Amino acid sequence: MIKINDELHYPVSDTLFVFALDSEAGKDFNDKNKLVTGIGKVNAAMELTKEIHLRKPKLIVNLGSAGSKSFNKGEVICCTKFIQRDMDVRGLGFSLYETPLSGIPPVLEYGLKKQELKEGICGSGDNFEMNHSETDYNIVDMEAYPLALIAMKEKIPFLCLKYISDDAGSDAAEDWAVQVHLASEAFKKILFS
């Protein structure tokens, strides 16, 4: 069982574990319903949509690496709010991060809170951020926003856990390459212990 809190539990067999890269999953999720989407918002959206209609999961769990200046390397943070950080249509009178004419607010609030973890706001975009200075979000990744949006639209509970691999600064690429391999062990301890 995947225990979210004292009231919410989901069978592992009905859970879809979603990663951008196989290196984030390691070998710890080979015997689970694992989906590797590839990098970026479009790949994540396309692959999750196909998998939902194939498997019909009762819970979607997004697990992956992310950068942050607010949290320490090696921490696992639960994201319950999401921003599409590369959406900027202010030139047409829309708010920063707002998808025009979608009815979705700039900050998407959808996700389960895993009670013993710190919470974060994840900014997803199709670039590897190495100069993070925004204060609207405190975690950066490349896939979580569309995954949360699709889960919300499909009315499937969504849990998003991010392993902080780097500080989204000038050394982010080197830090990520080392830290990404430690993510799966951290996720395994949190979800299956």
Side-chain angles (χ1 to χ4, degrees):
M1 294 295 267
I2 303 294
K3 181 182 177 187
I4 306 299
N5 55 42
D6 292 335
E7 292 81 40
L8 283 177
H9 301 79
Y10 296 90
V12 173
S13 60
D14 292 334
T15 301
L16 179 62
F17 298 94
V18 182
F19 300 87
L21 299 169
D22 209 34
S23 58
E24 294 171 322
K27 293 183 170 120
D28 295 306
F29 291 84
N30 284 348
D31 61 340
K32 312 285 187 285
N33 295 322
K34 177 178 78 170
L35 172 65
V36 177
T37 66
I39 294 172
K41 294 184 301 178
V42 173
N43 286 330
M46 184 177 74
E47 295 301 325
L48 179 60
T49 300
K50 289 191 312 191
E51 203 72 8
I52 284 172
H53 293 287
L54 179 68
R55 293 192 196 201
K56 304 196 182 343
K58 301 279 189 277
L59 173 67
I60 296 169
V61 179
N62 172 224
L63 303 169
S65 57
S68 179
K69 289 192 180 298
S70 301
F71 301 107
N72 297 318
K73 279 190 275 189
E75 281 189 279
V76 175
I77 307 301
C78 183
C79 298
T80 57
K81 296 178 182 175
F82 304 89
I83 289 174
Q84 192 168 197
R85 62 183 164 85
D86 54 1
M87 180 61 74
D88 187 352
V89 193
R90 289 178 289 181
L92 294 177
F94 294 93
S95 297
L96 181 60
Y97 314 127
E98 179 183 4
T99 302
L101 312 173
S102 68
I104 306 292
V107 178
L108 173 65
E109 294 188 41
Y110 189 76
L112 300 170
K113 168 68 178 111
K114 186 110 171 74
Q115 62 191 150
E116 67 273 9
L117 298 178
K118 295 177 187 174
E119 270 185 273
I121 301 170
C122 187
S124 299
D126 283 326
N127 59 347
F128 187 83
E129 196 163 328
M130 294 178 63
N131 194 17
H132 179 68
S133 60
E134 290 295 325
T135 56
D136 295 327
Y137 51 90
N138 53 15
I139 292 176
V140 294
D141 89 330
M142 298 178 71
E143 297 84 20
Y145 180 92
L147 300 174
L149 180 64
I150 291 166
M152 181 187 78
K153 288 187 171 198
E154 294 290 328
K155 298 177 175 54
I156 301 170
F158 182 69
L159 177 66
C160 180
L161 304 181
K162 293 297 176 180
Y163 179 86
I164 305 304
S165 58
D166 59 82
D167 68 358
S170 59
D171 295 329
E174 293 84 14
D175 290 346
W176 179 84
V178 171
Q179 292 287 322
V180 70
H181 301 288
L182 304 174
S184 65
E185 190 62 35
F187 294 140
K188 179 181 166 186
K189 285 178 186 171
I190 288 168
L191 294 171
F192 306 121
S193 294

